[in-house]
Amino acid sequence: MTNNTSLFRGVRSSKFRHVYGSPSKREELYDNIPITRNAHDSNFCAANPKFVAIVTEVAGGGAFVVLPINKTGRLDLNTSKVTGHRGPVLDVKWNPFNDNIIASCSDDCTVKLWYIPDSGLSCNLNEWLIELSGHRRRVGHIEWHPTAENVIASSGFDYMVMLWDAGTGQILNTIDCHPDIVHSLTFNRDGTRLATTCKDKKIRSIDPRSGLVVSEGICHEGSRSCKVIYLDNERLLTTGFSTYSDRQIAIWNHTDLSEPLHRVNIDSSSGILFPYYDYDTRMVYLAGKGDGNIRYYEIVDESPYIHFLNQFISGCPQKGFGMMVKRGCSVSRCEIMRFYKLHTTRNVCEPISMIVPRKSDQYQHDLYPDTAAPVPALSAQEWFNGISKPPVLMSMKTGVSVKTHKPQAFVSNEATRNDTNYRMKFAFLSKETVPDYRPLDMLPEIEKIQKTQVNQNTRFQQIQQKLSNSLVGKFTNMTDGDEECNNMKENSNYSDNLKNEYQMKKAFTRQCEELNMLRKQLAHRDRRIQDLEDLVSTLQSQLKVQRLQ
């Protein structure tokens, strides 16, 4: 009896032990979506509190559909899509600091950024905010920086990893250390490291600003694709295959990638395992392509570092998943994660909620620690110049930021002022990303009128911007004593008219949408006039024939 008691270890305690997956009802599905049949190892889906983006199948190019989060049910075949790519779309990712901006990469060797209005698309969108061209072959994966605004990383089939400043369209750095195709890339929590897996079976930890490989090692012995995610600022998790084609997961320390901290065999299935990590609950979700289940694990600080919790089992295989950011989850349901599952055999996108069963309907503080806010901690240029900051956090209960990060001690006073000015200019981003869950038909009529007036004034503001820029050039060639210069300075107020770049692009996009609608209305009116003229001419000819008879 004593021996049996000494061998019994008991059940490990965890508040996430009884987490269960809750599939959606039929009326909550996104149905009749022509999901892409591309075999690329990507998720083909992305979600945020406002929209769900799904890569679709379209003839002669690449496209993806963007649906408002509450627009469920059967989709119309003529639903508007984003159709600006010349080749199949391979990956889509939402901007973490602006829920209206999405990035996409394609077979046409480009990365493009798009602005999606709050009401969704009213017509096919083929005019992008900015195009990032630099890869010589198709671009397979993209990833936004977690703390720096407008920084995005892309990996192509030219073996290159490029870091871009999406605000200016410039390349910040080109990382050329991979001898083969990059299978995945991920930033750590504060964006100071970039980890990649490659077809040469190696995992690499890279300094993204310098492009230097800090550490590398053999990831998994199998020849199939490996995936990697950062668990925190130092540890990594990879999924891959053994030499016997068993699916595996492994935990690594990014400073020494010669040997994993722990390795676990999962099963013998053939689908690629995609890992998804939740920083707040420290849970990892594993979903395999072609599988019908989602396994979830809890990460701890001591060996073996990962513990199996449970799995959600479904009879429908999956083609891809979109992961909702934590601020989009429902705290009233104790929902700690939500996935958007693309079915393989049906044209359906199904939301699946991961829920912790609790009897109380009060806010659960232990389930919802402060999470990443839709506010950047620093600008792209600050990050590239060597400044590092953790993400700005927000409360899930109040929905406002609870921590702000002041510039570090070594930053100059000028840089501090620039940082303050930058935040003031881009303060509208934090307002844009607050989701509005009210149905569109309940919006006050006066709000619609105000939006229409703002859209009509944007063209005038752009003209003012051009005039002010020309005036700035003239002012530089004049002295303060010139009477002409003084008069122009008094009358122009050019500094008050300068707008930030994204605001201009957003206004320009809205103006283009209105122009496209007007063109369609004019074309429809012209066709109607032509039909009426044809009808009048036909009646006149018939009247002449009757008179002759």
Side-chain angles (χ1 to χ4, degrees):
M1 185 69 179
T2 305
N3 292 337
N4 292 338
T5 304
S6 62
L7 293 174
F8 180 71
R9 298 182 179 178
V11 178
R12 179 179 166 274
S13 175
S14 172
K15 59 187 173 185
F16 303 112
R17 181 174 179 80
H18 300 289
V19 172
Y20 66 94
S22 174
S24 298
K25 299 177 182 179
R26 184 177 182 85
E27 59 270 15
E28 296 173 343
L29 303 178
Y30 303 87
D31 200 359
N32 197 34
I33 299 175
I35 300 173
T36 180
R37 295 189 293 271
N38 197 305
H40 181 63
D41 57 342
S42 176
N43 288 308
F44 299 119
C45 182
N48 67 18
K50 286 186 178 180
F51 303 102
V52 177
I54 303 168
V55 180
T56 59
E57 193 74 20
V58 64
F64 59 95
V65 62
V66 178
L67 303 174
I69 202 74
N70 56 358
K71 188 180 179 180
T72 57
R74 188 172 179 82
L75 191 69
D76 187 4
L77 287 175
N78 297 322
T79 299
S80 301
K81 301 178 180 66
V82 179
T83 58
H85 282 290
R86 298 186 303 274
V89 177
L90 301 181
D91 198 8
V92 288
K93 292 285 172 62
W94 288 101
N95 188 332
F97 310 122
N98 191 331
D99 288 342
N100 296 85
I101 293 179
I102 187 170
S104 62
C105 61
S106 168
D107 256 5
D108 61 6
C109 308
T110 63
V111 178
K112 294 181 179 179
L113 271 64
W114 315 85
Y115 175 80
I116 309 298
D118 287 339
S119 59
L121 298 177
S122 58
C123 58
N124 284 347
L125 178 62
N126 52 20
E127 297 178 355
W128 51 86
L129 286 177
I130 196 165
E131 182 181 75
L132 308 178
S133 300
H135 287 280
R136 296 190 297 271
R137 297 182 64 186
R138 57 179 175 164
V139 186
H141 302 280
I142 49 177
E143 192 71 32
W144 288 94
H145 195 281
T147 61
E149 187 176 29
N150 295 333
V151 176
I152 187 169
S154 63
S155 66
F157 281 65
D158 54 0
Y159 314 156
M160 299 284 188
V161 174
M162 294 186 177
L163 283 99
W164 308 81
D165 182 351
T168 62
Q170 301 298 317
I171 298 177
L172 295 176
N173 194 15
T174 300
I175 302 173
D176 185 13
C177 63
H178 301 89
D180 214 322
I181 298 171
V182 177
H183 285 152
S184 67
L185 70 162
T186 178
F187 285 100
N188 64 349
R189 182 66 162 164
D190 59 7
T192 55
R193 288 285 183 89
L194 177 71
T196 63
T197 56
C198 183
K199 195 174 181 180
D200 65 352
K201 304 180 184 180
K202 285 189 176 182
I203 177 175
R204 293 173 173 85
S205 178
I206 304 168
D207 183 348
R209 285 175 278 217
S210 65
L212 299 176
V213 178
V214 179
S215 180
E216 66 177 17
I218 298 296
C219 183
H220 295 275
E221 296 288 347
S223 58
R224 303 201 63 188
S225 177
C226 299
K227 299 295 179 182
V228 60
I229 55 171
Y230 258 102
L231 301 179
D232 44 42
N233 278 333
E234 295 182 354
R235 286 184 299 172
L236 295 156
L237 182 141
T238 59
T239 63
F241 295 81
S242 68
T243 53
Y244 301 102
S245 296
D246 293 329
R247 293 198 292 192
Q248 296 178 328
I249 56 175
I251 309 293
W252 308 78
N253 188 323
H254 75 165
T255 58
D256 183 11
L257 297 175
S258 58
E259 287 293 334
L261 299 174
H262 186 63
R263 197 191 301 267
V264 180
N265 283 351
I266 304 296
D267 55 24
S268 299
S269 297
S270 59
I272 298 172
L273 279 175
F274 285 84
Y276 307 90
Y277 183 61
D278 181 4
Y279 285 100
D280 302 330
T281 61
R282 304 187 72 185
M283 289 178 62
V284 171
Y285 301 86
L286 299 182
K289 269 200 172 182
D291 296 355
N293 61 339
I294 305 174
R295 296 178 176 88
Y296 36 100
Y297 301 76
E298 188 172 11
I299 301 299
V300 295
D301 293 328
E302 60 277 352
S303 181
Y305 305 104
I306 185 168
H307 294 278
F308 176 75
L309 292 173
N310 209 333
Q311 62 177 331
F312 167 77
I313 300 176
S314 169
C316 300
Q318 57 236 8
K319 183 176 183 64
F321 272 96
M323 179 178 173
M324 174 63 73
V325 292
K326 182 56 69 70
R327 55 191 170 86
C329 296
S330 173
V331 297
S332 60
R333 299 176 57 200
C334 294
E335 182 185 45
I336 59 172
M337 186 52 61
R338 190 190 312 153
F339 293 99
Y340 289 82
K341 171 182 174 179
L342 304 183
H343 286 235
T344 303
T345 56
R346 298 189 296 162
N347 291 330
V348 169
C349 176
E350 177 188 10
I352 298 175
S353 299
M354 312 305 295
I355 296 175
V356 179
R358 293 283 175 92
K359 292 183 179 179
S360 174
D361 57 355
Q362 301 297 318
Y363 179 78
Q364 306 295 318
H365 291 273
D366 60 329
L367 299 183
Y368 301 105
D370 296 337
T371 190
V375 179
L378 67 168
S379 67
Q381 199 58 43
E382 287 174 336
W383 173 79
F384 189 67
N385 289 337
I387 303 175
S388 298
K389 296 180 183 178
V392 179
L393 302 181
M394 62 176 279
S395 169
M396 285 289 290
K397 184 176 182 180
T398 61
V400 297
S401 300
V402 296
K403 294 182 182 179
T404 56
H405 304 284
K406 298 180 180 179
Q408 298 180 3
F410 60 83
V411 183
S412 64
N413 293 330
E414 183 179 357
T416 304
R417 288 194 299 270
N418 292 337
D419 182 73
T420 303
N421 294 335
Y422 190 85
R423 290 177 183 278
M424 292 175 63
K425 286 200 306 181
F426 285 87
F428 76 98
L429 289 177
S430 61
K431 297 179 181 179
E432 280 290 329
T433 52
V434 177
D436 187 357
Y437 298 104
R438 295 177 296 170
L440 291 176
D441 55 359
M442 294 180 62
L443 289 174
E445 190 66 28
I446 188 170
E447 185 177 350
K448 296 181 181 179
I449 296 174
Q450 290 175 351
K451 289 183 178 179
T452 303
Q453 291 175 348
V454 170
N455 291 338
Q456 291 174 348
N457 291 333
T458 51
R459 184 59 182 170
F460 175 73
Q461 292 172 357
Q462 292 175 6
I463 295 174
Q464 273 191 326
Q465 172 70 21
K466 292 180 180 178
L467 291 175
S468 63
N469 288 339
S470 62
L471 289 174
V472 171
K474 291 181 179 179
F475 290 155
T476 56
N477 298 324
M478 295 181 181
T479 62
D480 292 336
D482 279 342
E483 182 178 356
E484 182 182 359
C485 176
N486 294 331
N487 293 334
M488 291 177 68
K489 286 183 178 179
E490 291 175 359
N491 296 327
S492 64
N493 268 335
Y494 66 94
S495 60
D496 295 335
N497 294 327
L498 296 177
K499 302 295 181 181
N500 60 71
E501 186 175 358
Y502 262 132
Q503 197 171 12
M504 287 181 60
K505 290 180 179 178
K506 184 173 68 173
F508 178 74
T509 304
R510 289 177 177 174
Q511 192 73 19
C512 290
E513 290 178 0
E514 288 192 357
L515 289 175
N516 289 334
M517 291 297 297
L518 289 173
R519 289 193 187 100
K520 288 184 178 181
Q521 292 175 1
L522 289 173
H524 179 73
R525 187 197 65 180
D526 293 340
R527 288 197 299 268
R528 183 62 178 164
I529 292 173
Q530 185 64 39
D531 293 341
L532 291 174
E533 290 178 349
D534 293 342
L535 180 61
V536 169
S537 61
T538 302
L539 292 175
Q540 288 177 347
S541 61
Q542 290 178 355
L543 184 61
K544 289 181 180 179
V545 171
Q546 290 178 357
R547 288 177 177 176
L548 291 175
Q549 292 178 351

